[in-house]
Amino acid sequence: MDTVTVLLMTFILSVTGLGVFIWSLRRNMFDDNPEAAGVIFSTGEIGHVEDPSATPEQRAGLQKVVTEGGKAVIDPSLAAKLQQELADRTEADQSTAYVTFTFLCCAIVWLVLASTFGLISSIKLHNPEFLTQYAWLTFGRTRTLHLNMVAYGWCPMAAFGIAIWVLPRLLKTRLYGGRFAILGCMLWNAGLIAGLGAIAVGINDGLEWLEVPWQVSILIVIGGSLIALPLVFTLRNRKVKHLYVSIWYMGAALFWFPVLYLVGKVPGVHFGVEQATMNWWFGHNVLGLYYTPIALASVYYFLPKIIGRPIQSYNLSLIGFWALAFFYGQVGGHHLVGGPVPHWLISLSIVQSMMMIIPVLAFSVNQHLTMRGHFKTMYYSPTLRFIVIGAMMYTLSSFEGSLEALRSVSRVAHFTHFTVAHAHLGLYAFFSIVMFGAIYFVMPRVMSWEWPHPKLISLHFWLVTLGIGVYFVSLSTGGWLQGLAMLDATKPFMESVRVTIPYLEGRTLGGTMMTLGHLVFAVHFVLMALRYGTSRVGPALLHPRKFQPEVQAIAGA
């Protein structure tokens, strides 16, 4: 069977399957789906805004914008029933508080450490003599330490913490099996610490994203499996008939990751070209089938909750989920363009990369239609700024990723800083910024305490968004010029290095701003953890006297 036949059959099969799925949904794809999309709201809650990180003045302005938008009507007659359902929600929040807090504390520690090593690595690219006294501070090790702290420290700890907090809310029950999650967290972090120690002394498996020695990785696999168990137990005890789309995304991600990591780390199976193929199969799938679903699930939950209206089209959200599952599996092969791998495998990867435009469009259109008429709420809601900007970056990074898979683009961009810029656009500008917003929403519920200094939230936002902007533009520009210089046979290789120096300095500037933002975030988090500042009246209840009467009923939501 030739390459063209394989690609054509794959394309037809994928599109046919997706078409049958779309046909099975309602014909009016962009109609409201109040029953399914409203699962995240309690009775009579639609129309009420919710942002625990907002000041009373911001919250009042947020409510005013939403009410004047005319998209939802507040029904005062349902206030009594709402209060009972909010009491049940409070019980669910209390069951997750300790577990969520444990994961988020770990996430903050890894974020600060990863930022520090990332900044050191960035400086070394344009100042190679910086911190060369010790072997573990050389670029090859500091950059690898940074990557693993981000990929297995900050990102999964934040993702697990948010998932464990959101799931009981969506299932309208308390968390079951929280002790398994705590044990899993301990094993995961023990494995990560041991793995980082091995990398620091020069012991690693030599594969990007999979550097941690496989003997240590056993702890991470077991830990990840234990962390996923509460999902099973809580699902069995759910009090809802319909599973909201965020459950689909989070549930799939929590079970996809242990499988991906186990396959990637099995010793004595992958060799030579096959090993390189597996490496990028894992490297891309851990981004698209773990981090991405968790972040999308968070957007689908927090964005509607903040503005008090269901997502515009629940059907589109399902298309986005299934299209992601259909098309993402072989995307990573486009990183092997020009390598000694089967031609059909590269072509298949390029086809699937382009077909990823379908789930991206489904998500992007849905979020835009949901926010239509409500973009002014970003002015009042600190949390919404992070969530919406992060969601926009998903669209940008995904479209760029599809274009980068094309041979004509990959020919220039591959093996350059352009690829690094793209990776940060996805894992940082999308995933991490969404996680920042989610943590700002969740922590007041977990601690029953207000964020002590709201202005620090704004400072954090501007430092990280401007920082990643400088970082991305600098590396994208420098990387493209680097690629062009390497393709020019008349120029020596060192010219491709020299041309990147000003842009690498720009990378360090952006990285410094991001690191400062992380320090601000970490200090603010510690202040809340130490219960510094104003206490709340009940779980996540802002002071009622500061609210308009119609807002008081849902202040503890």
Side-chain angles (χ1 to χ4, degrees):
M1 187 177 294
D2 59 26
T3 301
V4 175
T5 305
V6 172
L7 293 177
L8 184 60
M9 290 179 62
T10 302
F11 180 80
I12 293 175
L13 180 63
S14 299
V15 172
T16 302
L18 187 61
V20 171
F21 176 72
I22 294 174
W23 175 81
S24 68
L25 299 174
R26 299 176 182 179
R27 294 183 180 179
N28 298 322
M29 193 60 63
F30 295 100
D31 283 357
D32 293 337
N33 302 269
E35 184 176 354
V39 170
I40 64 174
F41 298 98
S42 296
T43 303
E45 193 178 23
I46 294 176
H48 292 289
V49 302
E50 182 178 358
D51 186 353
S53 65
T55 63
E57 293 76 15
Q58 289 173 326
R59 188 177 173 91
L62 179 61
Q63 183 67 62
K64 181 179 179 182
V65 171
V66 170
T67 303
E68 290 177 349
K71 297 294 184 181
V73 179
I74 299 173
D75 189 349
S77 66
L78 299 174
K81 189 173 182 180
L82 172 61
Q83 284 296 326
Q84 179 57 46
E85 294 190 8
L86 293 183
D88 295 337
R89 182 186 295 170
T90 298
E91 181 182 0
D93 288 352
Q94 290 174 344
S95 71
T96 60
Y98 179 74
V99 181
T100 299
F101 181 71
T102 300
F103 277 99
L104 295 185
C105 284
C106 295
I108 298 300
V109 171
W110 289 121
L111 175 65
V112 173
L113 289 175
S115 304
T116 302
F117 278 91
L119 186 58
I120 292 173
S121 302
S122 180
I123 295 173
K124 285 175 174 291
L125 286 173
H126 56 83
N127 184 12
E129 300 303 317
F130 180 66
L131 294 181
T132 57
Q133 299 92 331
Y134 305 99
W136 69 275
L137 286 176
T138 54
F139 177 81
R141 299 188 190 179
T142 56
R143 192 268 176 185
T144 306
L145 289 169
H146 163 70
L147 172 62
N148 282 268
M149 287 178 185
V150 171
Y152 304 113
W154 151 247
C155 290
M157 290 296 104
F160 285 137
I162 297 303
I164 286 173
W165 185 86
V166 168
L167 289 174
R169 277 194 159 211
L170 293 174
L171 299 173
K172 298 187 185 299
T173 185
R174 69 179 182 87
L175 178 70
Y176 289 83
R179 293 181 179 179
F180 288 101
I182 293 294
L183 177 60
C185 180
M186 295 170 61
L187 290 175
W188 182 294
N189 281 281
L192 180 56
I193 291 171
L196 293 173
I199 292 171
V201 298
I203 303 172
N204 72 73
D205 282 352
L207 292 174
E208 192 168 13
W209 290 86
L210 294 168
E211 292 92 349
V212 173
W214 70 266
Q215 297 89 339
V216 176
S217 298
I218 296 174
L219 292 175
I220 297 178
V221 172
I222 296 174
S225 301
L226 288 173
I227 293 169
L229 285 180
L231 170 63
V232 179
F233 300 145
T234 307
L235 271 172
R236 291 181 60 189
N237 293 275
R238 68 184 184 273
K239 297 179 181 178
V240 295
K241 295 181 180 179
H242 178 81
L243 296 181
Y244 186 67
V245 67
S246 292
I247 292 288
W248 294 44
Y249 275 113
M250 288 183 174
L254 291 176
F255 285 98
W256 273 332
F257 179 80
V259 174
L260 292 171
Y261 196 72
L262 183 62
V263 171
K265 294 300 294 184
V266 172
V269 175
H270 312 292
F271 299 97
V273 173
E274 179 188 337
Q275 188 178 57
T277 305
M278 179 281 302
N279 191 187
W280 281 110
W281 170 84
F282 172 84
H284 240 286
N285 281 348
V286 76
L287 288 170
L289 298 180
Y290 177 59
Y291 299 127
T292 294
I294 292 288
L296 293 180
S298 300
V299 174
Y300 272 120
Y301 179 78
F302 291 109
L303 190 150
K305 287 290 289 181
I306 292 170
I307 65 175
R309 63 164 303 201
I311 56 174
Q312 178 68 27
S313 173
Y314 194 74
N315 293 330
L316 270 182
S317 70
L318 297 183
I319 288 178
F321 173 81
W322 286 109
L324 179 71
F326 277 138
F327 301 146
Y328 205 92
Q330 299 301 323
V331 166
H334 72 246
H335 281 277
L336 301 172
V337 171
V341 294
H343 185 76
W344 66 264
L345 180 62
I346 301 297
S347 298
L348 174 62
S349 176
I350 294 172
V351 169
Q352 291 203 328
S353 297
M354 297 307 296
M355 292 175 74
M356 273 300 297
I357 293 175
I358 295 174
V360 173
L361 278 178
F363 171 81
S364 303
V365 170
N366 208 2
Q367 298 310 307
H368 177 77
L369 292 177
T370 303
M371 283 295 296
R372 185 176 55 184
H374 292 79
F375 282 99
K376 189 178 178 181
T377 54
M378 294 175 63
Y379 175 79
Y380 296 103
S381 172
T383 302
L384 195 62
R385 297 172 196 169
F386 287 94
I387 297 294
V388 172
I389 292 298
M392 290 178 175
M393 292 303 102
Y394 171 65
T395 304
L396 180 59
S397 65
S398 298
F399 274 109
E400 184 187 50
S402 295
L403 293 175
E404 193 176 348
L406 298 175
R407 285 186 172 88
S408 57
V409 178
S410 181
R411 181 172 177 267
V412 179
H414 205 35
F415 299 120
T416 71
H417 296 294
F418 188 94
T419 303
V420 179
H422 170 67
H424 282 76
L425 188 64
L427 195 55
Y428 189 88
F430 165 46
F431 176 85
S432 293
I433 287 182
V434 168
M435 288 298 104
F436 291 146
I439 291 172
Y440 278 124
F441 188 102
V442 166
M443 275 299 291
R445 305 296 194 238
V446 170
M447 297 298 300
S448 298
W449 207 261
E450 294 183 26
W451 288 101
H453 300 293
K455 290 184 178 180
L456 291 182
I457 301 177
S458 180
L459 178 60
H460 174 213
F461 173 80
W462 288 112
L463 281 172
V464 297
T465 52
L466 293 177
I468 188 59
V470 172
Y471 187 104
F472 175 74
V473 172
S474 296
L475 275 195
S476 296
T477 305
W480 193 259
L481 294 176
Q482 179 188 16
L484 293 175
M486 285 195 292
L487 291 173
D488 190 343
T490 65
K491 295 181 179 179
F493 175 77
M494 283 306 298
E495 179 61 27
S496 70
V497 176
R498 282 191 291 269
V499 75
T500 64
I501 298 301
Y503 303 99
L504 293 176
E505 292 172 346
R507 165 186 172 149
T508 297
L509 174 61
T512 301
M513 296 172 67
M514 292 152 64
T515 301
L516 289 175
H518 300 161
L519 292 175
V520 169
F521 179 47
V523 169
H524 206 188
F525 185 94
V526 171
L527 291 177
M528 170 174 272
L530 295 176
R531 294 184 176 271
Y532 174 84
T534 307
S535 64
R536 291 188 181 274
V537 182
L541 180 64
L542 294 171
H543 298 292
R545 66 178 182 274
K546 297 181 180 180
F547 282 96
Q548 300 172 354
E550 65 270 19
V551 181
Q552 293 182 19
I554 50 84

